[in-house]
Amino acid sequence: MRPIRVAVVGTGHLGKIHAKLAQGLECFELVAVVDPVESARTAVAEQHGVEHYAEISAILGKVDAAVVATPTKYHREVAAQLLAADIHVLVEKPITLGVEDADCLIALAKRTGSVLQVGHVERFNPAFRAAQRHLDGPRYIEATRQSGYTFRSIDVGVTLDLMIHDIDLVLSLVNSSVVDVQAVGFTLFGPHEDMVQARLTFANGCVANLTASRASFEPSRQMRIFSDAGFVGIDFADRKLKYIASHEALASGVQKVHRVAEDEKAKIRQSLFETVLPLHVAEIPATNAIEDELSEFATCIRRGGTPTVDGTAGRNALAVALQVVEQVERHQWQDGDQMMVGPTLASTPDHLPARKAA
């Protein structure tokens, strides 16, 4: 079976990674890179010994698939040209800037029979995949995703840049629709929000509290999930997993602590996380999530399968993320040159200023 001829569109940080990995995979033949900035595209092309072009039109008919790693505002335009030419597309997250644009790409992919995959790479994180075996009926989820200011993806706010990862993960875990979105946040450096806290409520009663920041002194990518099966804690960066499975003793009435004798209370207290609530800690072997994502892209092209994150999943994550942005913007006010955003939750986080009186 011949390799899939692939091009990478956009030679920024992620585009460089995709080009390097695609060239190293037997299922792909990297044939070109596309970028309007000549110095950027020639550097990547020379590194990998491939052709380079300034326009999408130059690769039509020369490739079977493409990875779109341009700034988000170009996703719809670029991906639409590729899909209309029967070229399979893996587009980085978020799928587009607007839901209507996402719907357009989904419709194009359906019409041409092309694969449309969205780069929500955390779905391929080995710790997240391992965690799913210990989950059943999530009831409460909290996630924190924060980093320093990298000056990448500043064409969008932190919601579409970082929080959308956790929105996608939560939507994949909770088999229910979102019925309420609340959010707070504020801008530090640019025209878009840099810190956001959101609360998603689902029709089945599950609640997810999500925090994202790209102005943090301490990077973190963690999620805690409480479900009918117990508790799971995921460290996405270190690939560590903690989980607690409910012990049969809880079902038999040990939870009625007011009826337990004092000596029995002491025993339970000393061995709580060894017997009643046994805590398991696992360090998951490292894998390259972007490489796994690319490999699945190739498999779907060859076998006609549906990607883990198809266009519809990418669209659904975008729709919720835009609701978060709307809530943040709805409650903003000006304080000098800095946009501050007022609270819509019941209480104001410690790091946010109290809202000024009208």
Side-chain angles (χ1 to χ4, degrees):
M1 187 177 295
R2 71 172 178 83
I4 298 165
R5 298 172 301 167
V6 67
V8 173
V9 184
T11 54
H13 175 71
L14 278 173
K16 292 175 183 176
I17 293 174
H18 279 292
K20 180 180 179 180
L21 292 174
Q23 189 178 55
L25 289 169
E26 292 183 359
C27 53
F28 286 114
E29 177 191 358
L30 180 66
V31 298
V33 295
V34 181
D35 197 298
V37 180
E38 184 176 6
S39 59
R41 69 175 184 264
T42 55
V44 177
E46 289 174 2
Q47 180 183 356
H48 299 294
V50 299
E51 298 295 326
H52 60 89
Y53 304 102
E55 302 289 341
I56 293 294
S57 57
I59 64 170
L60 302 183
K62 299 178 181 179
V63 301
D64 308 303
V67 176
V68 178
T70 66
T72 307
K73 61 183 178 180
Y74 301 118
H75 282 187
R76 193 265 189 193
E77 176 188 354
V78 171
Q81 289 184 66
L82 295 166
L83 290 168
D86 294 328
I87 294 172
H88 305 285
V89 171
L90 192 168
V91 58
E92 272 299 337
K93 61 80 197 164
I95 182 172
T96 53
L97 282 178
V99 172
E100 289 185 1
D101 288 339
D103 288 337
C104 171
L105 297 186
I106 293 168
L108 266 174
K110 183 177 181 179
R111 190 180 76 200
T112 61
S114 302
V115 173
L116 175 58
Q117 183 171 340
V118 186
H120 284 280
V121 72
E122 289 286 38
R123 291 275 204 111
F124 297 86
N125 188 297
F128 178 74
R129 290 192 155 185
Q132 291 176 285
R133 297 193 294 268
H134 305 285
L135 293 171
D136 181 26
R139 301 286 185 164
Y140 174 73
I141 302 172
E142 59 182 29
T144 301
R145 188 171 296 265
Q146 55 192 34
S147 70
Y149 202 76
T150 64
F151 291 90
R152 296 198 306 268
S153 300
I154 55 177
D155 59 321
V156 295
V158 73
T159 308
L160 294 183
D161 181 19
L162 297 183
M163 183 178 283
I164 197 168
H165 278 299
D166 292 316
I167 291 173
D168 172 65
L169 295 174
V170 168
L171 292 180
S172 75
L173 294 173
V174 183
N175 186 26
S176 183
S177 58
V178 176
V179 295
D180 186 56
V181 176
Q182 301 179 59
V184 296
F186 64 92
T187 294
L188 291 175
F189 302 115
H192 305 292
E193 77 284 356
D194 296 308
M195 302 177 72
V196 171
Q197 186 178 69
R199 182 182 181 91
L200 311 181
T201 302
F202 292 82
N204 66 0
C206 180
V207 173
N209 284 334
L210 312 179
T211 300
S213 169
R214 57 184 181 187
S216 177
F217 61 89
E218 185 177 15
S220 175
R221 293 156 51 201
Q222 298 189 22
M223 181 176 284
R224 302 172 68 201
I225 307 160
F226 298 82
S227 76
D228 291 338
F231 163 81
V232 173
I234 308 169
D235 189 320
F236 293 92
D238 293 337
R239 305 177 315 280
K240 290 183 178 178
L241 185 66
K242 295 180 179 179
Y243 59 95
I244 296 174
S246 296
H247 192 274
E248 59 182 11
L250 292 177
S252 64
V254 172
Q255 70 271 30
K256 299 175 182 178
V257 293
H258 60 286
R259 298 180 182 176
V260 177
E262 288 301 319
D263 59 339
E264 188 64 23
K265 289 180 183 178
K267 292 179 182 178
I268 295 174
R269 185 168 56 247
Q270 292 172 3
S271 62
L272 181 63
F273 293 104
E274 296 175 1
T275 57
V276 180
L277 295 173
L279 175 64
H280 305 274
V281 180
E283 187 164 344
I284 311 302
T287 61
N288 189 315
I290 297 180
E291 183 176 297
D292 291 344
E293 179 183 62
L294 284 167
S295 294
E296 184 185 77
F297 184 42
T299 298
C300 290
I301 292 171
R302 286 177 166 173
R303 300 180 183 176
T306 301
T308 298
V309 189
D310 61 4
T312 300
R315 184 252 190 218
N316 291 343
L318 172 67
V320 174
L322 291 178
Q323 290 182 64
V324 171
V325 174
E326 181 183 3
Q327 286 295 313
V328 168
E329 292 178 345
R330 181 178 296 177
H331 299 276
Q332 71 185 41
W333 76 95
Q334 299 294 326
D335 185 5
D337 294 329
Q338 185 181 54
M339 182 187 79
M340 310 298 286
V341 179
T344 62
L345 298 180
S347 61
T348 305
D350 293 340
H351 61 275
L352 294 182
R355 185 166 185 170
K356 296 178 179 178

